[in-house]
Amino acid sequence: MIAEPAQGLRVGFAGTPEFAREALAAMLGAGLSVPLVLTQPDRPAGRGMKLQPSPVKQLALEHGIAVAQPTSLKLDGRFPDEAAAAREALQAAQLDVLVVAAYGLILPRWVLALPRLGCLNIHGSILPRWRGAAPIHRAIEAGDAETGITLMQMDEGLDTGDMLAVEREPIGPDDTTALLHDRLARLGGRMIVAALADAAAGRLQPVPQPLEGVTYAHKIDKKEAAIDWTLPAAVIARRVRAFDPFPGASFVRGAETIKVWQARLADGQGAPGEVLVAEAGVLRVACGEGALEIERVQRPGGRRQPVREWLAGCDIRPGERLG
């Protein structure tokens, strides 16, 4: 349980995906009072493309928490009625603080100024490195040795607010975005519970972000999935890990797009995309520098499988060029 002073806080929460759900679960598990949750509108998903609530909404409803799902929070934007309704809900909740984690909507000035203690953001990087939408993916793609969680006092900039707490997390050589995401989500949950207790007691000490070392983690585009065999093998291997689970690195062979879920560096030279070895369960492909040994793949509509299973069912041969 959290410290007694924090038990009296009225904490709003704004978040959408699983990363945010972990933080909300930690707050509820600590006994915090959460009268209102903001999350993105339900989205179509699955084979039937039926509307599905976000992980955060599902958890909020399980605990009987009021949920608001505005398309926008801009009172002068395309959806002013939704924004006005959200403002009424936020005002009625009489929040002391609003916790934000991977919400997906920009918070305008009126939202930032509404809670007594402002808005606290759980960000998946060591700021100012990897401000923006995809910090976990980009850290792996860039070959960073570590990342972490920064708790930030939000302002009107893009992840530019003062830092309240920082904890680091190493990035292992086999870490995918999926694995690192889960560790950081748990870390963020633990950190926000402690920070809220500090906020209630007046112990938070905001620190401005460094002026140097700013990078931007641009949103992942599906177009990035296509493997560019002219790149060094080390870069492609990092992208395979960074794009797991989304969008999945891939190459084209014939009429099929084959996803690559696991690969490692290997010796070999050849034209970029040239198959060097395709036998005994080994698929080795030349890159712009070095070679890549592909270990797990997925055909369209199929499951992830060891590459030896895929090789057993196709006639791929050395010398073939992969698209």
Side-chain angles (χ1 to χ4, degrees):
M1 299 296 288
I2 57 177
E4 190 64 32
Q7 294 264 1
L9 285 180
R10 292 178 61 82
V11 186
F13 187 82
T16 300
E18 191 62 37
F19 182 87
R21 183 191 185 282
E22 190 75 29
L24 178 58
M27 291 162 50
L28 295 173
L32 281 159
S33 173
V34 182
L36 178 65
V37 160
L38 301 180
T39 191
Q40 289 267 353
D42 296 358
R43 305 292 189 198
R47 292 186 177 180
M49 295 301 287
K50 295 181 179 179
L51 290 178
Q52 299 291 334
S54 71
V56 164
K57 179 180 178 179
Q58 294 178 43
L59 181 61
L61 295 179
E62 290 171 9
H63 286 79
I65 301 172
V67 176
Q69 297 178 267
T71 305
S72 171
L73 290 167
K74 296 180 180 179
L75 295 170
D76 56 352
R78 292 177 55 197
F79 304 94
D81 291 342
E82 291 186 26
R87 181 170 64 174
E88 290 182 9
L90 284 165
Q91 290 173 334
Q94 298 182 321
L95 301 179
D96 293 300
V97 62
L98 178 66
V99 173
V100 182
Y103 178 31
L105 291 185
I106 295 174
L107 301 190
R109 182 182 303 176
W110 71 263
V111 178
L112 298 173
L114 193 61
R116 177 174 61 88
L117 298 174
C119 300
L120 310 186
N121 180 249
I122 306 171
H123 186 76
S125 80
I126 304 299
L127 291 171
R129 185 151 177 81
W130 303 126
R131 294 173 178 172
I136 302 174
H137 304 75
R138 299 306 182 189
I140 293 176
E141 182 185 16
D144 291 0
E146 65 175 5
T147 184
I149 291 289
T150 301
L151 300 185
M152 173 182 57
Q153 187 82 50
M154 295 181 70
D155 60 19
E156 291 187 76
L158 176 62
D159 299 330
T160 56
D162 289 348
M163 300 183 296
L164 303 171
V166 176
E167 289 198 27
R168 300 177 182 273
E169 176 70 22
I171 300 177
D174 297 321
D175 270 334
T176 63
T177 289
L179 293 172
L180 187 56
H181 165 281
D182 290 351
R183 297 206 304 274
L184 291 178
R186 292 190 292 270
L187 176 60
R190 295 194 299 271
M191 289 175 66
I192 195 61
V193 169
L196 289 170
D198 287 339
R203 293 192 297 264
L204 288 179
Q205 297 182 348
V207 177
Q209 294 184 33
L211 298 177
E212 298 181 351
V214 176
T215 55
Y216 288 92
H218 297 287
K219 184 178 179 180
I220 301 297
D221 192 308
K222 288 184 179 180
K223 295 178 181 178
E224 297 181 71
I227 293 175
D228 180 356
W229 296 107
T230 66
L231 293 173
V235 174
I236 298 173
R238 292 200 301 267
R239 287 189 171 186
V240 169
R241 295 189 291 116
F243 297 162
D244 180 356
F246 176 85
S250 63
F251 63 85
V252 174
R253 182 174 186 264
E256 289 190 329
T257 297
I258 306 298
K259 290 196 173 185
V260 178
W261 294 115
Q262 188 174 330
R264 64 181 180 86
L265 302 182
D267 295 329
Q269 294 182 348
E274 179 185 353
V275 175
L276 302 177
V277 179
E279 60 182 4
V282 176
L283 178 60
R284 189 172 301 162
V285 184
C287 305
E289 181 181 310
L292 203 64
E293 195 157 302
I294 297 173
E295 297 177 310
R296 293 187 71 83
V297 296
Q298 182 179 14
R299 296 182 62 191
R303 59 176 177 81
R304 298 189 187 195
Q305 61 182 169
V307 75
R308 67 176 180 274
E309 294 181 11
W310 181 63
L311 289 175
C314 66
D315 60 351
I316 191 168
R317 299 175 185 275
E320 180 177 334
R321 293 284 292 274
L322 301 179

